Amino acid sequence: MPREPDYNRRNSADAEETAAAILGWLANEPDMLGRFLALSGLQPNQLRGAANDPGFLSGMIDFLMGHEPTLLAFCEATGTKPETVAAAWRHYSGPVSGEF
């Protein structure tokens, strides 16, 4: 059953808001940002342009999801539920093999 357009728009907006919050949080966590940049291969001056790339956003959220203490630190600092981050991760990562 296809999802309704309003649901998809809301889901997309929620994912964008979550991604923006993660990027903002990383920007205020120099050690974490340095680790993310080292793992991603990006330079600090490339972040602004990359922020509009869904692949970058997927990787950034994957970075958070791949380390539970980091995920929980973000959630605590921003008042975001882990489930919200997981939903944004699914949005940007696309369907998992075998999902409809």
Side-chain angles (χ1 to χ4, degrees):
M1 169 187 261
R3 294 187 178 177
E4 298 175 22
D6 285 344
Y7 174 83
N8 289 335
R9 273 193 295 271
R10 186 177 72 245
N11 187 36
S12 181
D14 290 348
E16 288 176 19
E17 184 178 310
T18 301
I22 293 169
L23 187 56
W25 178 76
L26 281 173
N28 289 308
E29 296 290 330
D31 291 340
M32 197 60 60
L33 179 61
R35 183 170 173 251
F36 172 69
L37 291 173
L39 291 171
S40 70
L42 288 173
Q43 298 298 314
N45 63 342
Q46 296 173 307
L47 283 176
R48 185 177 303 270
N52 294 317
D53 178 3
F56 166 79
L57 298 175
S58 174
M60 181 183 66
I61 298 170
D62 193 52
F63 169 77
L64 214 65
M65 293 289 292
H67 190 245
E68 187 176 8
T70 303
L71 171 65
L72 295 178
F74 164 76
C75 291
E76 183 177 327
T78 62
T80 304
K81 294 181 180 179
E83 296 85 0
T84 301
V85 178
W89 179 68
R90 283 189 303 275
H91 172 80
Y92 284 109
S93 298
V96 175
S97 179
E99 277 190 346
F100 294 63

